[in-house]
Amino acid sequence: MPFTTKATIASFGGKLLKLSHPSSTTSTEMAVNVYLPPAALTSSSPTKVPVLVYLSGLTCSPENCSEKGFFQHGASRRGIAIVYPDTSPRGLNLPGEKDAWDFGEAASFYIDATQEPFASNYKMETYITKELPSALFSDPEIGKYLDADKVSITGHSMGGHGALTLYLKNPGLYKSVSAFAPISNPAKCPWGEKAFKGYLGEDKEVWKKHDASELIKGWKGKDVKMLVDVGTGDNFYKQGQLLPENLEAAAKEAGVEGFQLRYQEGYDHSYYFMASFSDEHVDHAAKHLGV
């Protein structure tokens, strides 16, 4: 189905498109923002550019990072499009969907739920990895600017978890991955335990299939092309919600290459943190996207 353009906003020499489209995966209207850099727009004919998918964190929408993350700055410089999907289906009014900020609407954890009442609509893994890219790349107005063969992924917090796990579960789908303050071992932190129980049920062996610290073990000896930044002033890090140390230990045990975990002194969990290092994450993607 075609995209509806809600707004077109000039940004760092390019254009930020605020879009929506009907999703057959979630059975809802889904919002998505797409940034097209100057490199895609300034030639006499449309130019296909690489794509970086950004997955947002708990409570967020496509608006937050596109307004405050400053990814467009680096993307404009490197000639990369940014895709900002939403964090869940919206408007379903399912039982329990809006009872808490860390579960349900805007808190999908980017998995395909198997438990009711979420199983029919909360299929965000399928939406992010299949339906949305297919829709964007085949769209006659948007797809002419996007290179479907050059895609990387990044994200923040819950979206960092999403980026890491979707990358590790789908070898070859993305050229690289990075994350800001990701929920790195959700099967062993309160946020993840709550979400996995609600979406996937009680079987903790099933949980492992959606946990970056477990999935990276399957990449033994391989190049993971992974950059992770965590702020030492992040209260969620201090509370044990993020557990990057567990991801690092698993990466070392698996003997993977290309894994980089950086602790940024004094930075918190906010967009101030992300805006400070977004250029470096765009550069990380650009390196592996060949631009």
Side-chain angles (χ1 to χ4, degrees):
M1 296 292 289
F3 289 86
T4 299
T5 302
K6 302 295 185 69
T8 300
I9 301 169
S11 178
F12 293 102
K15 293 181 179 180
L16 179 71
L17 308 178
K18 295 189 176 185
L19 310 169
S20 68
H21 73 114
S23 167
S24 60
T25 303
T26 67
S27 299
T28 64
E29 190 80 4
M30 295 295 290
V32 57
N33 288 357
V34 176
Y35 176 69
L36 299 176
L41 303 170
T42 54
S43 62
S44 58
S45 60
T47 300
K48 287 183 180 288
V49 296
V51 177
L52 179 59
V53 177
Y54 170 85
L55 301 183
S56 296
L58 293 164
T59 76
C60 291
S61 74
E63 305 304 312
N64 299 81
C65 190
S66 56
E67 292 179 359
K68 298 185 288 186
F70 281 87
F71 273 85
Q72 288 104 260
H73 176 265
S76 171
R77 179 171 50 87
R78 299 306 296 262
I80 296 174
I82 308 287
V83 174
Y84 301 96
D86 207 347
T87 47
S88 77
R90 295 181 188 267
L92 292 165
N93 295 315
L94 300 175
E97 187 184 29
K98 298 181 181 180
D99 290 353
W101 64 273
D102 57 357
F103 181 79
E105 190 170 277
S108 71
F109 274 74
Y110 301 102
I111 55 180
D112 286 354
T114 59
Q115 301 299 298
E116 298 300 340
F118 301 98
S120 295
N121 307 96
Y122 275 62
K123 300 176 181 177
M124 288 299 289
E125 179 174 346
T126 296
Y127 174 74
I128 296 294
T129 60
K130 295 180 180 178
E131 184 185 10
L132 179 59
S134 176
L136 287 172
F137 296 140
S138 64
D139 186 85
E141 295 302 317
I142 302 167
K144 62 187 178 184
Y145 298 112
L146 307 178
D147 190 340
D149 295 321
K150 293 184 177 181
V151 183
S152 286
I153 192 166
T154 187
H156 170 237
S157 193
M158 176 188 72
H161 145 77
L164 295 176
T165 55
L166 297 184
Y167 175 82
L168 292 170
K169 283 193 270 188
N170 297 278
L173 184 61
Y174 305 106
K175 299 298 185 184
S176 66
V177 64
S178 70
F180 295 85
I183 303 171
S184 304
N185 194 184
K188 293 186 177 179
C189 78
W191 278 343
E193 291 171 354
K194 178 179 180 177
F196 284 1
K197 181 179 179 181
Y199 294 134
L200 300 172
E202 302 280 356
D203 189 345
K204 293 186 178 182
E205 290 302 308
V206 173
W207 296 6
K208 291 180 179 180
K209 297 176 183 179
H210 307 278
D211 187 316
S213 293
E214 295 292 339
L215 290 166
I216 201 167
K217 297 174 184 178
W219 283 62
K220 190 173 181 65
K222 296 179 181 178
D223 184 355
V224 292
K225 302 178 178 65
M226 182 181 294
L227 171 64
V228 177
D229 275 329
V230 178
T232 61
D234 187 325
N235 285 331
F236 297 125
Y237 166 58
K238 296 175 183 178
Q239 293 166 12
Q241 294 282 16
L242 307 182
L243 302 175
E245 63 273 17
N246 293 0
L247 178 63
E248 183 178 35
K252 288 181 177 178
E253 181 182 344
V256 300
E257 299 178 1
F259 174 83
Q260 187 177 14
L261 171 62
R262 309 187 305 187
Y263 288 97
Q264 305 293 356
E265 184 65 32
Y267 284 89
D268 61 17
H269 200 74
S270 73
Y271 284 92
Y272 294 112
F273 166 48
M274 294 170 57
S276 299
F277 299 99
S278 59
D279 276 2
E280 295 178 28
H281 283 244
V282 171
D283 287 342
H284 172 76
K287 174 184 175 182
H288 298 289
L289 291 168
V291 296

